[in-house]
Amino acid sequence: SLSIIDFVGIYVMHDRINLTKSYLALVEFLLLSKRNLIVVAEKLKITPVQAITLLLLDESRPMHSFTKIFHCDASNTTGIIDGLERKKLVGRFESPSDRRVKMIKITPKGAKIRESIISSQTNDDSFIIKKLSSSELSSFVKLIEKITS
């Protein structure tokens, strides 16, 4: 018979295997998504990081938030935003509450590109989560929101 220590050890090991499988599945999912995003970005003549930046701009946000998301320094973020600004896909403005904070806003042209990215990522036969049922998709979204909140 198993002792409580044996049972706890088996439970911890089982939990660790589930965490490892979950993590590896998530990495594979993210890489598949990234691959599709790279292809779409190339067609739109923007970089993958510029495409991600546009996807994140459902509303205006502080420029420094991209530094945190991309885990890079401010000069890299400035380069990304500069490239999008040259293409007239985003604009900068001062935060109404703090002039020191630069806000990034998507332009109408940028919004069209953003919609094109979303459309091509979700309407294509290669859409990576199209196999999910409506209830599975709803659960998936809730889990992703929980993970990223």
Side-chain angles (χ1 to χ4, degrees), residues 118-130:
I118 292 169
S119 177
S120 64
Q121 289 287 81
T122 58
N123 291 337
D124 193 281
D125 281 341
S126 65
F127 183 44
I128 57 180
I129 57 176
K130 73 176 185 168

Side-chain angles (χ1 to χ4, degrees), residues 129-140:
I129 57 176
K130 73 176 185 168
K131 296 176 184 175
L132 300 180
S133 68
S134 292
S135 65
E136 289 171 329
L137 189 56
S138 177
S139 295
F140 177 76

Side-chain angles (χ1 to χ4, degrees), residues 23-88:
Y23 173 74
L24 294 175
L26 182 59
V27 167
E28 186 172 355
F29 168 78
L30 293 172
L31 290 172
L32 286 170
S33 181
K34 181 181 178 184
R35 185 190 68 208
N36 291 348
L37 187 63
I38 289 169
V39 170
V40 170
E42 285 175 355
K43 288 178 185 174
L44 296 169
K45 308 226 184 305
I46 59 176
T47 68
V49 173
Q50 288 174 332
I52 294 167
T53 303
L54 291 175
L55 289 173
L56 295 172
L57 281 170
D58 53 331
E59 55 186 44
S60 299
R61 62 189 308 155
M63 190 160 151
H64 65 80
S65 70
F66 294 106
T67 300
K68 290 178 183 173
I69 291 168
F70 296 138
H71 195 66
C72 64
D73 61 48
S75 64
N76 287 355
T77 302
T78 299
I80 295 164
I81 301 301
D82 285 349
L84 288 168
E85 209 170 24
R86 278 193 297 277
K87 295 175 181 181
K88 304 206 181 321

Side-chain angles (χ1 to χ4, degrees), residues 1-36:
S1 90
L2 292 174
S3 71
I4 189 72
I5 292 173
D6 292 332
F7 179 74
V8 169
I10 290 169
Y11 179 78
V12 169
M13 193 167 102
H14 183 264
D15 198 39
R16 181 76 183 143
I17 291 169
N18 283 339
L19 285 174
T20 300
K21 285 177 72 176
S22 298
Y23 173 74
L24 294 175
L26 182 59
V27 167
E28 186 172 355
F29 168 78
L30 293 172
L31 290 172
L32 286 170
S33 181
K34 181 181 178 184
R35 185 190 68 208
N36 291 348

Side-chain angles (χ1 to χ4, degrees), residues 98-112:
D98 185 346
R99 293 183 347 200
R100 298 170 296 175
V101 175
K102 298 295 180 215
M103 300 292 291
I104 307 302
K105 180 181 181 178
I106 198 164
T107 63
K109 182 179 177 184
K112 286 180 185 174

